[in-house]
Amino acid sequence: MPTALLWFRRDLRLGDHPALLAARDAAGPDGDVVPVFVLDDRLWRPSGEPRRRFLLDCLAALDADLDGALVLRSGDPARVLPQLARETGATSVHVSSDAGPYGRRRDDAVESALGDVPLVRTGSPYAVTPGRVTKRDGTPFQVFSPFARAWREHGWRAPAPRAEVRWRTGVASDAPPPGPDLDGVALPPAGERAALSAWARFRDERLLGYADGRNTPGADGTSRMSAYLKYGCVHPRTLLADLAAAEQSESVRRYGDELAWREFYADVLWHRPESAREYLKPELQTMGYDDGPHAEELVRAWETGRTGFPIVDAGMRQLLGEAYVHNRVRMIVASFLVKDLHQEWTLGARYFMRHLVDGDLASNNHGWQWVAGTGTDASPYYRIFNPVTQGRKFDPDGAYVKRWVPELRGLAPEHVHEPWTAPGGIPTGYPQPVVDHAHERQVSLDRYARVRGR
Ligand SMILES: Cc1cc2nc3c(=O)[nH]c(=O)nc-3n(C[C@H](O)[C@H](O)[C@H](O)COP(=O)(O)OP(=O)(O)OC[C@H]3O[C@@H](n4cnc5c(N)ncnc54)[C@H](O)[C@@H]3O)c2cc1C
C-alpha cells in the first residue's frame, strides 16, 4: 500500500494545508499518510517555557483532530525521518518549506539522509514564500513599503480546501516530554480550532475598529493571532481571504499591512540569515554599550518590570504574566533597553525569545533591530521613545498600566505615567525611576553622533 509521511513543523493544522494535500495525492486512493512531529532538541532547548508548553498543547490538539494518529518522535530529524520512512514503507516525505536559517540547513540534511525517498516541499508558513518577492533587478527589498506593494501585487493562492485523508494509525510514538509548569502564566488556548474561533471573533467583532484600536494597549484591539501564526495553527492566507471578502476599510488595509510586516521580516531573514544575530548596520555595534554591576542591576530592573517608568514596567510584567506584550509596548520597552539603558538589542531579543509565546526569530529579531535603528528599514537611530509621552498618548486613562502594575491603581490618570508627580509622592512599593530619561537620551545621541562622525 503506498504510504507518504507528512512531517508537521510550523503548520500544526489540518485545514488550508497544501503539503497535506500533496501527501494525500502521493499516497493515492489506496494509500495512507503517516502524520509525524519530530521533537528536535535544537529547537526545543532554546524555546523557553511558554513556547514549549504551547507547542505541546498544540500537538495534543492536533493529535485529537487526527483521532490519535499523530506520531511523535524525539531526536535529530536527519536520523528520525529516514528511520520512520523505512519502518512504515513511506516513499515520500512531505513538508511546508521552512525559511529560517536552521530550518533550511536541517531540511537539506534530512533530504540527503533520506536518499531515494524525496523530501517534497509544498507551500510555506507565509502567503508568499520568502525570497519570491524581489525588486525588478532581482535584488531583495530593504524597505517595508515598497516590499508590501510588491507583495500585494504578487498575490497569493486561495486557501487550500480541507481534505479527507486516510491516516495510518498504530505507528509507535515516543512519550511527550513533561510539559513545563508555567506557574500562573496565562497562555491562549492551543490548536487549530482555538485559532479559528479566536480569528472569527476578532473578524466579526473587532476588525472594524482595528485601525484605531490597535495602538491602545489597554483595549482588546488587536487579534492576538501571533502565537497561532507562529505555530501554523492557522495559515495567513486564511486570514487574507477573509480580509479580501470583508468590506474594504482603513482597518482591513491596516491588518493586511501587519501581516505584510511578518512576511517582510521573513523575507529579510531568508536573504540575510545572519541578520538574526548580527547588526544589519554593523557600525552601530561599535557605539559603546554599558556593562558592569550597575548596568546589570538596571537590566534586572527592566527584566522584572521595576524601572520606575510605568508603561515600561507594565509591558515587562505583561511579558512575564502572559508571555505576550502589546506591539506598541514592545517598541517602548525595546527602545528603553537600548537607548535609556544602553544595552545591545541582542540582549533584549534573547530575553524576549525566552519569554514570548509568539517568539519568532524573524519578527522578533528584526523588530528589535527596527527599534534599535540597526535594521535595514528606514528607522533613524535618533528616534527615541519617551516612556512618559508614549504612556500618556497610548494609555491615556492608565488602564493598561493599572492592569499590570497594581501599586499604581490608586493614582489619577494624570499621574499614572509620572507617579513622582502624584500629590502623595510615588506609591509605596513602586520604585523611583532608575534613570533620567532626558539625560540618557542625550547620551545615546552623543554616542550615535560619534559613530556617524567617524
Ligand atoms: C521588539 C519587538 C519584538 C517583536 N517580537 C515578535 C515575535 O517574536 N513574534 C511575532 O509574531 N511578532 C513580534 N513582534 C511584532 C508584533 O509586536 C506582534 O506580532 C504583535 O504584537 C502580535 O499581537 P497580535 O497578534 O494581536 O497583532 P495584530 O496587531 O493583531 O497583528 C496581526 C498579525 O500581524 C503580524 N504583525 C503585526 N505587527 C507585526 C510586526 N511589527 N512585525 C511582524 N509581524 C507583525 C503578526 O503576525 C500578528 O499576529 C515584535 C515587535 C517588536 C517591536
Side-chain angles (χ1 to χ4, degrees), residues 210 222-226 229 258 324 327 330 358 360 364:
Y210 180 73
T222 67
S223 67
R224 295 283 192 117
M225 294 308 289
S226 48
L229 287 165
E258 298 311 314
Y324 172 88
N327 179 58
R330 290 187 205 210
D358 63 17
D360 171 85
N364 182 62

Side-chain angles (χ1 to χ4, degrees), residues 193-240:
R193 284 167 205 267
L196 291 174
S197 70
W199 167 248
R201 267 198 315 281
F202 172 76
R203 182 195 60 204
D204 298 344
E205 295 166 16
R206 306 199 307 283
L207 174 58
L208 209 58
Y210 180 73
D212 294 329
R214 60 183 286 274
N215 258 323
T216 312
D220 190 15
T222 67
S223 67
R224 295 283 192 117
M225 294 308 289
S226 48
Y228 297 127
L229 287 165
K230 154 83 192 181
Y231 286 102
C233 303
V234 63
H235 195 280
R237 210 176 19 222
T238 304
L239 314 187
L240 288 161

Side-chain angles (χ1 to χ4, degrees), residues 185-301:
V185 178
L187 296 186
E192 182 177 17
R193 284 167 205 267
L196 291 174
S197 70
W199 167 248
R201 267 198 315 281
F202 172 76
R203 182 195 60 204
D204 298 344
E205 295 166 16
R206 306 199 307 283
L207 174 58
L208 209 58
Y210 180 73
D212 294 329
R214 60 183 286 274
N215 258 323
T216 312
D220 190 15
T222 67
S223 67
R224 295 283 192 117
M225 294 308 289
S226 48
Y228 297 127
L229 287 165
K230 154 83 192 181
Y231 286 102
C233 303
V234 63
H235 195 280
R237 210 176 19 222
T238 304
L239 314 187
L240 288 161
D242 280 357
L243 295 184
E247 193 180 326
Q248 295 308 292
S249 65
E250 175 57 13
S251 286
V252 166
R253 195 194 56 74
R254 195 72 226 214
Y255 194 88
D257 269 359
E258 298 311 314
L259 292 176
W261 273 106
R262 176 176 178 271
E263 309 248 336
F264 174 60
Y265 284 147
D267 188 74
V268 174
L269 187 61
W270 194 87
H271 286 288
R272 311 260 315 256
E274 77 286 0
S275 67
R277 319 257 173 245
E278 294 170 16
Y279 286 59
L280 279 158
K281 291 195 181 77
E283 67 278 13
L284 290 185
Q285 193 159 12
T286 63
M287 281 230 330
Y289 294 93
D290 288 358
D291 55 12
H294 183 57
E296 280 168 23
E297 216 175 282
L298 293 177
V299 169
R300 195 73 204 123

